[in-house]
Amino acid sequence: MELALLQLDQISLLGQLANFKKVASSLDKEVLMRSVFLFSMGGNDYLIFNLKNPNATIAERRKFQRMVIGNSTNTLQEIYELGGRKFAFKNVAPAGCLPLIKQVYHQFNGSCFKERMIACCGTGQFNGQNCGGGVTGTNDYE
C-alpha cells in the first residue's frame, strides 16, 4: 500500500497532551475530577507500523506494542496528576475493516460493514481516502 494514501497529519499523543494541559490549566480541578476521559488510542500507530513494516518479526511487533502502551500509560498518569479520575477506553478496530484498507487490499472487500459499505466522508472506492473531518479539507459528510 502506498503510504501517500494516508493522511499523516494527525496530532501526536504528546501534542494532544500539550493541548489538553493548556485547556486544563484554566479549569477547576474539581471539574477534571468529575470528567470522563474517553481514549481511542493506538489505531493510527498500529496501522502505520504495519504498513511500514509488513514483515516485522513478532519481537519487533511486541517491542512496538510496549512502546505504544508505555506512551499511553505516561499520558494517563499525567492526566491523573492534573485531576483526571474517570477513564474509558475504546478498542482498536480491526485494520482490515477500515475503508481505506478495503480499497487498497481487495481481499478484505465485503468482510466488514454489513449495513454500510463506505465511510462517511473522503474519496476513493469506500470514501476512506483523505477523510480527515476538516483537517484535510474534507468537511462534507453523508
Side-chain angles (χ1 to χ4, degrees), residues 103-135:
Q103 174 184 329
V104 176
Y105 295 104
H106 298 290
Q107 67 266 30
F108 294 118
N109 192 9
S111 63
C112 298
F113 298 110
K114 301 292 184 215
E115 295 179 23
R116 188 168 176 90
M117 296 299 293
I118 61 173
C120 66
C121 58
T123 59
Q125 182 181 3
F126 298 102
N127 290 349
Q129 184 176 336
N130 301 319
C131 186
V135 174

Side-chain angles (χ1 to χ4, degrees), residues 3-93:
L3 289 176
L5 289 175
L6 295 173
Q7 292 296 319
L8 300 176
D9 54 359
Q10 291 87 10
I11 301 172
S12 69
L13 184 58
L14 287 176
Q16 292 177 57
L17 180 60
N19 290 340
F20 174 73
K21 285 179 176 181
K22 290 176 189 174
V23 172
S25 67
S26 66
L27 298 174
D28 181 45
K29 192 167 185 170
E30 187 65 31
V31 171
L32 295 171
M33 292 177 78
R34 289 191 324 261
S35 299
V36 176
F37 296 87
L38 176 62
F39 287 88
S40 173
M41 52 190 156
N44 290 336
D45 299 312
Y46 292 120
L47 177 63
I48 300 300
F49 175 83
N50 286 305
L51 292 174
K52 287 183 175 180
N53 306 286
N55 299 315
T57 65
I58 291 177
E60 291 168 330
R61 292 178 188 280
R62 286 185 179 150
K63 181 179 178 182
F64 184 77
Q65 290 170 344
R66 285 191 298 273
M67 185 269 305
V68 170
I69 292 169
N71 289 343
S72 301
T73 301
N74 292 339
T75 299
L76 291 170
Q77 287 174 334
E78 288 200 47
I79 293 173
Y80 184 88
E81 290 170 8
L82 292 170
R85 295 295 183 268
K86 300 175 187 175
F87 299 94
F89 302 90
K90 180 185 168 294
N91 197 7
V92 176

